Amino acid sequence: MISVIKQKVDLIAECIYTKILRIEEKSFGLYSGDFGLLLFLLFYSRYSKNEKYALMAENYAEKLLEQFVAREHPHTFCSGFSGVMYLFEFLRETRIIDLDISPIQLAVDNYIISKMRLDIQQRYYDFMHGAMGVGLYFLKRKTNPEYIQELVDFLYDTAEKDFNNQTFKWESVVDYEKNLSGYNLALSHGISSIIIFLARVVNSGMRDEKITKMLSGAVNYVLSLEKDFSQFGSCFPNYILKDSPEDISKSRLAWCYGDLGTGSALWQAGKALGIKKVEEEGLQILLKSTQRRDIIECLVMDAGICHGSAGLAMIYRRMFLETFQEEFKNATTYWITQTLHFSRFEDGLAGYKSFMSGKWVCDFSLITGIAGIGLVLLSYLEDSQQDWDEMFLLS
């Protein structure tokens, strides 16, 4: 299988290289745009030791940065300033490449904090598209604790608190088409991402009573919703509807929604709080999920990180790196194999297409396309520490 992975990674690199050579409109997001392609290219050039890719990565980084500072962008982690600025910090910290952003740092920081405050006014905490993504960037930067405190205060003030049961939960829109509100458990948009954010806040050294009480309360709320895996088919639903709390169904197997994000959140919260019981509960949820191998039942339709097989391999490999448990090693290998099988389109990118909005499309992005697929395959191939997965809230 290793030789097949090598060939596939090389094909992905060539597809991305060819795209970069084309003169076309740039999309500057981390998850959704060209900076995600840059991330793959930087890792691939280091792996291949091919001067062609190293030179391309360096030139591409400079060109993207030059155009990035000259244009207006959203503030979000998925598609805008927060995610890209987080990436710059990661690349500098890991010494992969050091891009000089000092001329724009203050202006960008001021812009995204103003946008975070607008999200706070609208009670929009969404990690990928709202206030939480800005908070994650400032946590990474380690320079403005007052902004983190502002976000912590917002989360505390807007939480629905049940002091008798010691739970904290946050309401949001869970279905925009049907205009349904409730309590979203997802890693991508919901309470699992809040738990991970608060765990990172604790790990940063901010351990006041408000933060630990809120983190423990969010954990308690999530655990209160746990189902019998053997009967329900998953440990958690995707969300709880506010007006129909009993109208729930089992969740898919994916990075974005379902047990993997919730289990990862509990695992990280348990470690941050030093509560072995919570850490173990997260571990058991993730171990149970390794039993799910039916791609139709799991709703795994393509290979992308967000809701596809590469995302599953990424999460299970992270857990193997942390626990060395065979179940996670075997699950990683299984979903890597499925990722290779999804490369089946003659008109795809290295054989890959992504299933989006009911149709198959060619997709270069990190979150749903070949840049993310390539990064997962490359980390498996190199048996690396996969440190980049912190940008997907896994480490």
Side-chain angles (χ1 to χ4, degrees), residues 89-177:
E89 291 296 317
F90 170 81
L91 295 175
R92 180 191 56 77
E93 189 178 88
T94 52
R95 299 182 180 180
I96 295 172
I97 188 173
D98 192 359
L99 299 170
D100 182 14
I101 58 171
S102 56
I104 64 163
Q105 187 95 55
L106 182 60
V108 171
D109 286 358
N110 287 338
Y111 172 75
I112 63 177
I113 198 64
S114 69
K115 291 295 186 180
M116 185 187 89
R117 287 168 177 157
L118 287 175
D119 287 333
I120 286 173
Q121 290 174 17
Q122 296 169 17
R123 298 194 170 200
Y124 189 48
Y125 63 76
D126 190 293
F127 147 60
M128 288 178 63
H129 307 300
M132 296 289 299
V134 177
L136 284 162
Y137 158 61
F138 281 112
L139 261 182
K140 181 68 172 175
R141 185 136 185 258
K142 304 183 182 75
T143 56
N144 296 92
E146 69 275 18
Y147 298 154
I148 306 305
Q149 189 63 54
E150 199 170 331
L151 189 50
V152 165
D153 291 342
F154 156 65
L155 290 172
Y156 190 88
D157 293 342
T158 57
E160 294 182 27
K161 309 168 190 71
D162 181 341
F163 291 112
N164 290 329
N165 293 308
Q166 296 183 307
T167 63
F168 280 64
K169 61 184 180 181
W170 291 265
E171 182 183 340
S172 63
V173 177
V174 296
D175 189 326
Y176 281 91
E177 289 185 6

XYZ file of all heavy atoms in Angstrom, residues 89-177:
760
model
N 1.402 31.759 12.217
C 1.988 31.463 13.531
C 2.489 30.024 13.589
O 3.565 29.745 14.124
C 0.946 31.701 14.633
C 0.574 33.155 14.861
C 1.752 33.982 15.344
O 2.517 33.510 16.211
O 1.923 35.105 14.829
N 1.701 29.101 13.041
C 2.108 27.689 13.027
C 3.384 27.485 12.217
O 4.301 26.783 12.650
C 0.971 26.837 12.439
C 1.364 25.406 12.166
C 1.385 24.481 13.196
C 1.711 24.996 10.881
C 1.755 23.162 12.949
C 2.080 23.687 10.624
C 2.106 22.768 11.665
N 3.460 28.095 11.040
C 4.631 27.930 10.182
C 5.878 28.538 10.826
O 6.974 27.969 10.721
C 4.372 28.581 8.816
C 3.271 27.947 7.961
C 3.032 28.764 6.704
C 3.608 26.495 7.600
N 5.689 29.661 11.494
C 6.823 30.281 12.184
C 7.274 29.429 13.362
O 8.469 29.181 13.549
C 6.426 31.681 12.670
C 7.534 32.427 13.419
C 6.989 33.676 14.093
N 5.878 33.399 14.983
C 6.019 32.873 16.200
N 7.229 32.569 16.661
N 4.960 32.666 16.955
N 6.320 28.945 14.138
C 6.618 28.162 15.336
C 7.307 26.842 14.995
O 8.209 26.394 15.713
C 5.310 27.888 16.085
C 5.449 27.288 17.448
C 4.092 27.123 18.102
O 3.454 26.076 17.892
O 3.644 28.059 18.810
N 6.884 26.211 13.909
C 7.462 24.928 13.504
C 8.672 25.090 12.582
O 9.255 24.112 12.139
C 6.402 24.067 12.793
O 5.793 24.822 11.726
C 5.314 23.633 13.763
N 9.003 26.345 12.278
C 10.182 26.680 11.470
C 10.127 26.072 10.065
O 11.159 25.747 9.476
C 11.467 26.245 12.184
C 11.653 26.928 13.526
C 12.946 26.536 14.190
N 13.094 27.222 15.477
C 14.137 27.068 16.295
N 15.120 26.241 15.956
N 14.193 27.725 17.430
N 8.919 25.938 9.558
C 8.773 25.457 8.178
C 9.096 26.591 7.213
O 9.821 26.418 6.236
C 7.347 24.916 7.951
C 7.120 23.678 8.828
C 7.120 24.570 6.481
C 5.689 23.181 8.823
N 8.551 27.764 7.495
C 8.863 28.966 6.732
C 8.447 30.151 7.600
O 7.458 30.059 8.339
C 8.136 28.996 5.368
C 8.629 30.153 4.501
C 6.646 29.034 5.546
C 8.057 30.134 3.080
N 9.190 31.226 7.562
C 8.864 32.396 8.372
C 8.498 33.548 7.447
O 9.352 34.138 6.798
C 10.064 32.781 9.250
C 9.676 33.809 10.321
O 8.500 34.214 10.351
O 10.550 34.183 11.117
N 7.200 33.815 7.369
C 6.713 34.899 6.533
C 6.611 36.169 7.366
O 6.011 36.160 8.450
C 5.334 34.533 5.964
C 5.295 33.275 5.078
C 3.853 32.879 4.790
C 6.053 33.503 3.790
N 7.192 37.230 6.894
C 7.203 38.485 7.634
C 5.869 39.202 7.466
O 5.581 39.803 6.431
C 8.341 39.374 7.148
C 8.422 40.677 7.932
O 7.772 40.772 9.001
O 9.110 41.605 7.475
N 5.051 39.126 8.506
C 3.739 39.773 8.454
C 3.693 40.979 9.393
O 2.621 41.541 9.620
C 2.608 38.788 8.804
C 2.831 38.193 10.204
C 2.504 37.695 7.760
C 1.655 37.384 10.705
N 4.842 41.367 9.922
C 4.873 42.475 10.887
C 4.266 43.773 10.346
O 3.607 44.500 11.108
C 6.305 42.722 11.368
O 7.184 42.969 10.288
N 4.438 44.086 9.033
C 3.841 45.347 8.546
C 2.319 45.386 8.611
O 1.731 46.465 8.646
C 4.338 45.440 7.099
C 5.576 44.598 7.053
C 5.291 43.466 7.995
N 1.692 44.217 8.608
C 0.226 44.190 8.585
C -0.383 43.675 9.876
O -1.603 43.704 10.048
C -0.300 43.331 7.412
C 0.130 41.859 7.597
C 0.147 43.879 6.086
C -0.655 40.881 6.763
N 0.441 43.169 10.788
C -0.055 42.465 11.967
C -1.054 43.286 12.767
O -2.164 42.817 13.064
C 1.118 42.089 12.878
C 0.726 41.200 14.060
C 0.923 39.742 13.764
O 2.008 39.322 13.397
N -0.126 38.970 13.912
N -0.702 44.513 13.115
C -1.566 45.333 13.963
C -2.888 45.648 13.280
O -3.958 45.547 13.894
C -0.847 46.631 14.346
C -1.628 47.570 15.274
C -1.955 46.875 16.595
C -0.835 48.851 15.521
N -2.827 45.999 12.007
C -4.057 46.350 11.281
C -4.988 45.141 11.179
O -6.206 45.261 11.374
C -3.718 46.883 9.890
N -4.422 43.981 10.874
C -5.233 42.767 10.759
C -5.826 42.397 12.120
O -7.016 42.076 12.233
C -4.403 41.596 10.190
C -5.187 40.291 10.288
C -4.033 41.871 8.743
N -4.998 42.446 13.161
C -5.495 42.114 14.497
C -6.650 43.027 14.901
O -7.655 42.571 15.452
C -4.365 42.214 15.520
C -3.372 41.065 15.424
O -3.582 40.171 14.583
O -2.390 41.070 16.192
N -6.510 44.316 14.630
C -7.574 45.261 14.976
C -8.848 44.967 14.186
O -9.971 45.075 14.720
C -7.121 46.694 14.706
C -6.105 47.177 15.725
O -6.022 46.641 16.831
N -5.314 48.176 15.364
N -8.674 44.605 12.936
C -9.832 44.303 12.081
C -10.577 43.074 12.590
O -11.808 43.093 12.743
C -9.371 44.086 10.641
C -10.444 43.591 9.715
C -11.444 44.437 9.256
C -10.470 42.256 9.299
C -12.442 43.980 8.406
C -11.457 41.783 8.450
C -12.444 42.645 8.007
O -13.434 42.179 7.174
N -9.837 41.997 12.860
C -10.535 40.760 13.230
C -11.107 40.837 14.645
O -12.138 40.199 14.920
C -9.655 39.501 13.036
C -8.418 39.517 13.928
C -9.265 39.340 11.586
C -7.599 38.240 13.798
N -10.496 41.619 15.520
C -11.098 41.760 16.852
C -12.387 42.567 16.755
O -13.365 42.289 17.467
C -10.114 42.373 17.863
C -10.600 42.106 19.299
C -9.945 43.861 17.671
C -10.650 40.664 19.685
N -12.444 43.534 15.841
C -13.698 44.284 15.660
C -14.798 43.367 15.115
O -15.963 43.485 15.507
C -13.476 45.468 14.713
O -13.244 45.046 13.377
N -14.412 42.459 14.233
C -15.380 41.495 13.690
C -15.811 40.490 14.756
O -16.973 40.060 14.799
C -14.778 40.774 12.490
C -14.579 41.661 11.269
C -15.907 42.144 10.707
C -15.738 42.915 9.415
N -17.027 43.377 8.878
N -14.872 40.074 15.619
C -15.221 39.170 16.709
C -16.271 39.812 17.610
O -17.213 39.159 18.059
C -13.978 38.804 17.520
C -14.251 37.767 18.606
S -12.850 37.454 19.715
C -13.150 38.708 20.974
N -16.113 41.109 17.854
C -17.079 41.816 18.707
C -18.455 41.897 18.064
O -19.478 41.825 18.760
C -16.538 43.198 19.048
C -15.396 43.132 20.055
C -14.647 44.425 20.215
N -13.613 44.305 21.241
C -12.528 45.076 21.323
N -12.347 46.039 20.427
N -11.656 44.892 22.282
N -18.487 42.026 16.749
C -19.784 41.981 16.056
C -20.420 40.599 16.180
O -21.632 40.472 16.382
C -19.599 42.335 14.572
C -19.322 43.802 14.250
C -19.051 43.977 12.754
C -20.492 44.688 14.681
N -19.593 39.544 16.049
C -20.108 38.181 16.242
C -20.642 38.007 17.660
O -21.679 37.362 17.871
C -19.000 37.146 15.986
C -18.664 36.987 14.514
O -19.548 37.233 13.676
O -17.525 36.613 14.201
N -19.929 38.562 18.636
C -20.372 38.476 20.026
C -21.729 39.151 20.199
O -22.629 38.609 20.858
C -19.303 39.098 20.959
C -18.097 38.159 21.077
C -19.887 39.396 22.334
C -16.926 38.742 21.843
N -21.912 40.310 19.577
C -23.189 41.012 19.665
C -24.328 40.168 19.089
O -25.467 40.218 19.574
C -23.114 42.349 18.927
C -22.245 43.390 19.602
C -22.090 44.654 18.764
O -22.857 44.890 17.830
N -21.097 45.466 19.086
N -23.993 39.375 18.061
C -25.001 38.543 17.413
C -25.063 37.130 18.001
O -25.758 36.263 17.491
C -24.693 38.463 15.913
C -24.792 39.805 15.218
C -24.233 39.783 13.803
O -24.041 38.726 13.215
N -23.956 40.956 13.254
N -24.290 36.903 19.056
C -24.232 35.591 19.712
C -23.835 34.487 18.736
O -24.369 33.382 18.762
C -25.563 35.259 20.390
C -25.946 36.232 21.491
C -27.069 35.697 22.348
N -27.264 36.521 23.521
C -27.892 36.111 24.627
N -28.393 34.894 24.693
N -28.018 36.922 25.669
N -22.883 34.817 17.917
C -22.453 33.879 16.866
C -21.064 33.363 17.222
O -20.056 33.972 16.903
C -22.445 34.591 15.519
C -22.225 33.690 14.320
C -22.936 32.506 14.164
C -21.302 34.048 13.328
C -22.747 31.688 13.070
C -21.115 33.239 12.217
C -21.836 32.064 12.096
O -21.635 31.248 11.003
N -21.017 32.201 17.889
C -19.745 31.685 18.382
C -19.065 30.725 17.419
O -17.929 30.305 17.656
C -19.937 31.020 19.746
C -20.839 29.798 19.736
C -20.394 28.575 19.250
C -22.132 29.867 20.241
C -21.214 27.455 19.249
C -22.964 28.755 20.245
C -22.498 27.549 19.758
O -23.310 26.451 19.744
N -19.694 30.358 16.341
C -19.218 29.347 15.390
C -17.695 29.398 15.175
O -17.129 30.440 14.854
C -19.932 29.571 14.054
C -19.705 28.451 13.053
O -18.568 28.275 12.594
O -20.682 27.763 12.723
N -17.028 28.252 15.352
C -15.576 28.170 15.207
C -15.111 28.480 13.787
O -14.170 29.251 13.572
C -15.104 26.777 15.648
C -13.918 26.227 14.911
C -12.699 26.899 14.921
C -14.010 25.035 14.207
C -11.595 26.394 14.231
C -12.920 24.525 13.526
C -11.708 25.212 13.534
N -15.755 27.905 12.791
C -15.282 28.069 11.420
C -15.623 29.437 10.843
O -14.867 29.975 10.028
C -15.862 26.964 10.519
C -15.250 25.599 10.779
S -15.984 24.288 9.760
C -15.569 24.823 8.104
N -16.745 30.014 11.267
C -17.237 31.231 10.617
C -17.505 32.402 11.556
O -17.901 33.468 11.087
C -18.523 30.912 9.847
C -18.383 29.768 8.895
N -17.486 29.777 7.858
C -19.027 28.567 8.839
C -17.577 28.630 7.193
N -18.498 27.890 7.772
N -17.309 32.216 12.852
C -17.650 33.267 13.803
C -16.558 33.562 14.820
O -15.363 33.435 14.546
N -16.989 33.929 16.040
C -16.088 34.482 17.052
C -15.025 33.506 17.523
O -13.892 33.906 17.831
C -16.914 34.965 18.246
N -15.353 32.227 17.614
C -14.409 31.252 18.169
C -13.128 31.144 17.354
O -12.044 30.944 17.907
C -15.072 29.878 18.239
C -16.244 29.809 19.174
S -15.748 29.899 20.883
C -14.745 28.446 20.959
N -13.235 31.283 16.056
C -12.042 31.196 15.205
C -11.058 32.310 15.490
O -9.832 32.093 15.481
N -11.581 33.508 15.763
C -10.718 34.632 16.131
C -10.022 34.339 17.458
O -8.820 34.576 17.623
C -11.536 35.937 16.222
C -10.640 37.096 16.680
C -12.185 36.263 14.883
N -10.779 33.797 18.406
C -10.201 33.456 19.701
C -9.085 32.445 19.591
O -8.054 32.550 20.283
N -9.252 31.468 18.729
C -8.212 30.444 18.549
C -6.929 31.052 18.000
O -5.822 30.665 18.401
C -8.722 29.334 17.631
C -9.695 28.374 18.296
C -10.488 27.605 17.246
C -8.970 27.414 19.225
N -7.065 32.020 17.101
C -5.870 32.689 16.577
C -5.136 33.441 17.677
O -3.914 33.334 17.823
C -6.246 33.643 15.438
C -5.220 34.730 15.217
C -3.904 34.421 14.864
C -5.560 36.072 15.398
C -2.957 35.427 14.692
C -4.621 37.068 15.224
C -3.320 36.752 14.872
O -2.380 37.733 14.718
N -5.875 34.208 18.498
C -5.214 34.977 19.553
C -4.631 34.064 20.635
O -3.602 34.390 21.235
C -6.164 36.009 20.147
C -6.310 37.231 19.284
C -7.499 37.517 18.647
C -5.232 38.085 19.081
C -7.626 38.638 17.830
C -5.342 39.205 18.274
C -6.539 39.487 17.642
N -5.262 32.920 20.864
C -4.667 31.938 21.773
C -3.322 31.452 21.229
O -2.350 31.309 21.972
C -5.599 30.742 21.943
C -6.488 30.675 23.179
C -7.287 29.387 23.165
C -5.683 30.801 24.466
N -3.289 31.188 19.941
C -2.053 30.728 19.305
C -0.975 31.798 19.384
O 0.204 31.493 19.619
C -2.342 30.365 17.843
C -1.138 29.839 17.062
C -0.712 28.481 17.568
C 0.362 27.869 16.672
N 0.862 26.593 17.220
N -1.378 33.034 19.218
C -0.422 34.139 19.181
C 0.177 34.455 20.556
O 1.308 34.906 20.675
C -1.108 35.379 18.607
C -0.156 36.535 18.430
C -0.343 37.240 17.114
N 0.709 38.241 17.024
C 0.543 39.547 17.245
N -0.663 40.004 17.517
N 1.556 40.369 17.170
N -0.622 34.232 21.623
C -0.152 34.382 23.010
C 0.200 35.824 23.394
O 1.002 36.046 24.298
C 1.075 33.499 23.286
C 0.908 32.016 22.999
C 2.178 31.257 23.376
C 2.073 29.786 23.070
N 2.183 29.494 21.647
N -0.380 36.804 22.717
C 0.011 38.196 22.993
C -1.103 39.063 23.557
O -0.821 40.136 24.084
C 0.524 38.873 21.707
O -0.485 38.781 20.698
C 1.804 38.224 21.220
N -2.353 38.626 23.436
C -3.469 39.495 23.829
C -4.466 38.749 24.710
O -5.585 38.426 24.275
C -4.175 40.040 22.585
C -3.279 40.922 21.746
O -2.610 40.449 20.827
N -3.258 42.203 22.067
N -4.108 38.470 25.959
C -5.020 37.731 26.845
C -6.333 38.461 27.077
O -7.348 37.818 27.379
C -4.212 37.587 28.144
C -3.160 38.659 28.083
C -2.837 38.806 26.630
N -6.340 39.787 26.905
C -7.584 40.531 27.124
C -8.650 40.149 26.097
O -9.851 40.158 26.393
C -7.326 42.048 27.089
C -6.945 42.627 25.732
C -5.459 42.546 25.401
O -4.748 41.753 26.051
O -5.023 43.280 24.485
N -8.231 39.778 24.869
C -9.190 39.342 23.855
C -9.744 37.965 24.195
O -10.931 37.684 23.967
C -8.539 39.313 22.473
C -8.052 40.654 21.981
C -7.013 40.744 21.063
C -8.630 41.837 22.431
C -6.551 41.968 20.603
C -8.180 43.076 21.986
C -7.129 43.133 21.074
O -6.682 44.346 20.630
N -8.895 37.111 24.735
C -9.355 35.786 25.169
C -10.352 35.941 26.312
O -11.400 35.276 26.338
C -8.165 34.905 25.605
C -7.101 34.820 24.507
C -8.659 33.512 25.998
C -7.616 34.339 23.178
N -10.045 36.837 27.238
C -10.957 37.067 28.363
C -12.301 37.600 27.869
O -13.357 37.234 28.393
C -10.332 38.054 29.348
C -11.107 38.189 30.655
C -11.153 36.884 31.426
O -10.122 36.285 31.706
N -12.357 36.430 31.768
N -12.257 38.438 26.866
C -13.487 38.987 26.286
C -14.361 37.868 25.729
O -15.592 37.858 25.911
C -13.107 39.973 25.182
C -14.193 40.937 24.798
C -13.693 42.040 23.868
O -12.508 42.413 23.939
O -14.509 42.517 23.063
N -13.744 36.926 25.054
C -14.483 35.809 24.478
C -14.975 34.857 25.565
O -16.103 34.341 25.496
C -13.598 35.071 23.468
C -14.252 33.994 22.598
C -15.531 34.511 21.940
C -13.278 33.519 21.530
N -14.149 34.635 26.577
C -14.563 33.803 27.708
C -15.778 34.416 28.405
O -16.755 33.714 28.725
C -13.388 33.640 28.708
C -13.898 33.105 30.058
C -12.336 32.706 28.133
N -15.743 35.720 28.623
C -16.878 36.404 29.261
C -18.145 36.277 28.412
O -19.245 36.076 28.942
C -16.554 37.882 29.482
C -15.481 38.098 30.539
O -15.227 37.176 31.334
O -14.874 39.189 30.545
N -17.976 36.408 27.093
C -19.115 36.247 26.178
C -19.720 34.849 26.309
O -20.943 34.692 26.405
C -18.652 36.507 24.746
C -19.480 35.859 23.675
C -20.797 36.223 23.464
C -18.929 34.873 22.852
C -21.559 35.629 22.465
C -19.680 34.274 21.860
C -21.002 34.649 21.666
N -18.886 33.834 26.299
C -19.383 32.460 26.405
C -20.090 32.241 27.737
O -21.146 31.593 27.797
C -18.228 31.471 26.250
C -17.623 31.359 24.845
C -16.359 30.493 24.862
C -18.629 30.784 23.846
N -19.522 32.780 28.785
C -20.137 32.611 30.114
C -21.497 33.321 30.169
O -22.485 32.764 30.658
C -19.214 33.166 31.194
C -19.657 32.808 32.599
C -19.240 31.623 33.194
C -20.507 33.654 33.321
C -19.655 31.281 34.472
C -20.928 33.327 34.596
C -20.498 32.134 35.161
O -20.922 31.800 36.431
N -21.542 34.540 29.661
C -22.774 35.338 29.742
C -23.897 34.769 28.880
O -25.082 34.933 29.217
C -22.497 36.783 29.329
C -21.586 37.510 30.317
O -21.461 37.036 31.458
O -20.999 38.533 29.922
N -23.567 34.152 27.766
C -24.589 33.656 26.835
C -24.954 32.194 27.060
O -25.887 31.689 26.429
C -24.128 33.837 25.373
O -22.881 33.158 25.181
C -23.972 35.306 25.023
N -24.225 31.517 27.929
C -24.533 30.109 28.192
C -25.851 29.971 28.951
O -26.207 30.816 29.770
C -23.407 29.471 28.998
N -26.571 28.900 28.646
C -27.716 28.506 29.463
C -27.167 27.642 30.589
O -26.622 26.567 30.346
C -28.739 27.752 28.622
C -29.378 28.605 27.549
C -30.423 27.840 26.753
O -31.012 26.883 27.292
O -30.646 28.196 25.580
N -27.320 28.110 31.821
C -26.675 27.478 32.969
C -27.703 26.748 33.820
O -28.754 27.296 34.152
C -25.944 28.516 33.814
C -25.007 29.420 33.016
C -24.533 30.599 33.849
C -23.799 31.636 33.024
N -24.690 32.394 32.114
N -27.390 25.537 34.169
C -28.199 24.769 35.113
C -27.276 24.433 36.278
O -26.505 23.472 36.230
C -28.733 23.495 34.447
C -29.614 22.664 35.365
O -29.525 22.853 36.600
O -30.351 21.806 34.867
N -27.320 25.247 37.321
C -26.378 25.068 38.428
C -26.685 23.824 39.257
O -25.795 23.268 39.889
C -26.355 26.322 39.303
C -25.735 27.511 38.619
C -26.508 28.614 38.273
C -24.388 27.516 38.285
C -25.943 29.706 37.633
C -23.815 28.610 37.640
C -24.586 29.696 37.310
N -27.950 23.375 39.239
C -28.287 22.153 39.971
C -27.602 20.937 39.366
O -27.082 20.078 40.075
C -29.810 21.945 39.994
C -30.516 22.960 40.869
O -29.957 23.434 41.867
N -31.742 23.319 40.501
N -27.640 20.890 38.037
C -27.001 19.760 37.342
C -25.592 20.086 36.866
O -24.948 19.257 36.230
C -27.863 19.337 36.144
C -29.182 18.748 36.580
O -29.222 17.840 37.403
N -30.276 19.282 36.048
N -25.160 21.316 37.140
C -23.807 21.772 36.792
C -23.530 21.617 35.292
O -22.531 21.037 34.877
C -22.756 21.012 37.602
C -22.860 21.277 39.105
C -21.767 20.585 39.880
O -21.552 19.386 39.757
N -21.063 21.350 40.704
N -24.469 22.132 34.478
C -24.298 22.073 33.021
C -24.322 23.473 32.415
O -25.002 24.371 32.924
C -25.404 21.231 32.354
O -26.683 21.848 32.565
C -25.414 19.805 32.886
N -23.558 23.620 31.340
C -23.547 24.827 30.512
C -23.808 24.387 29.071
O -23.209 23.406 28.608
C -22.181 25.515 30.559
C -21.934 26.356 31.774
C -21.881 25.790 33.045
C -21.729 27.727 31.658
C -21.627 26.563 34.167
C -21.483 28.515 32.776
C -21.429 27.927 34.036
N -24.673 25.130 28.366
C -24.917 24.816 26.962
C -25.199 26.115 26.218
O -25.562 27.140 26.825
C -26.064 23.826 26.797
C -27.412 24.320 27.320
C -28.477 23.235 27.206
C -29.824 23.737 27.739
N -30.872 22.689 27.657
N -25.038 26.080 24.906
C -25.195 27.275 24.081
C -26.143 26.991 22.933
O -25.980 26.008 22.193
C -23.840 27.716 23.525
C -22.929 28.255 24.577
C -22.754 29.557 24.931
C -22.066 27.486 25.431
N -21.836 29.655 25.944
C -21.397 28.410 26.269
C -21.788 26.112 25.557
C -20.475 27.992 27.225
C -20.886 25.698 26.515
C -20.226 26.642 27.340
N -27.123 27.859 22.775
C -28.101 27.708 21.686
C -27.549 28.323 20.402
O -26.838 29.335 20.426
C -29.395 28.406 22.059
C -30.501 28.261 21.021
C -31.757 29.029 21.393
O -31.934 29.351 22.586
O -32.554 29.316 20.468
N -27.882 27.711 19.273
C -27.518 28.268 17.965
C -28.497 27.736 16.925
O -29.305 26.841 17.209
C -26.080 27.877 17.582
O -25.965 26.469 17.445
N -28.438 28.274 15.732
C -29.229 27.735 14.622
C -28.568 26.432 14.170
O -27.374 26.396 13.865
C -29.293 28.730 13.452
C -30.052 28.122 12.274
C -29.954 30.027 13.893
N -29.337 25.356 14.137
C -28.779 24.062 13.735
C -29.199 23.666 12.321
O -28.621 22.762 11.726
C -29.154 22.944 14.739
C -28.535 23.231 16.099
C -30.673 22.795 14.859
N -30.207 24.341 11.780
C -30.642 24.089 10.413
C -31.157 25.405 9.842
O -32.264 25.845 10.158
C -31.736 23.018 10.376
C -32.072 22.559 8.962
O -32.009 23.393 8.037
O -32.402 21.367 8.776
N -30.331 26.036 9.002
C -30.685 27.352 8.471
C -31.825 27.267 7.456
O -32.645 28.182 7.356
C -29.466 28.011 7.833
C -28.527 28.613 8.857
C -27.471 27.873 9.383
C -28.712 29.912 9.318
C -26.617 28.420 10.338
C -27.867 30.463 10.281
C -26.820 29.712 10.781
O -25.989 30.246 11.734
N -31.891 26.187 6.689
C -32.958 26.048 5.691
C -34.327 25.969 6.353
O -35.302 26.535 5.874
C -32.698 24.807 4.824
C -31.530 24.960 3.867
C -31.395 23.757 2.944
O -32.274 22.863 2.974
O -30.410 23.710 2.185
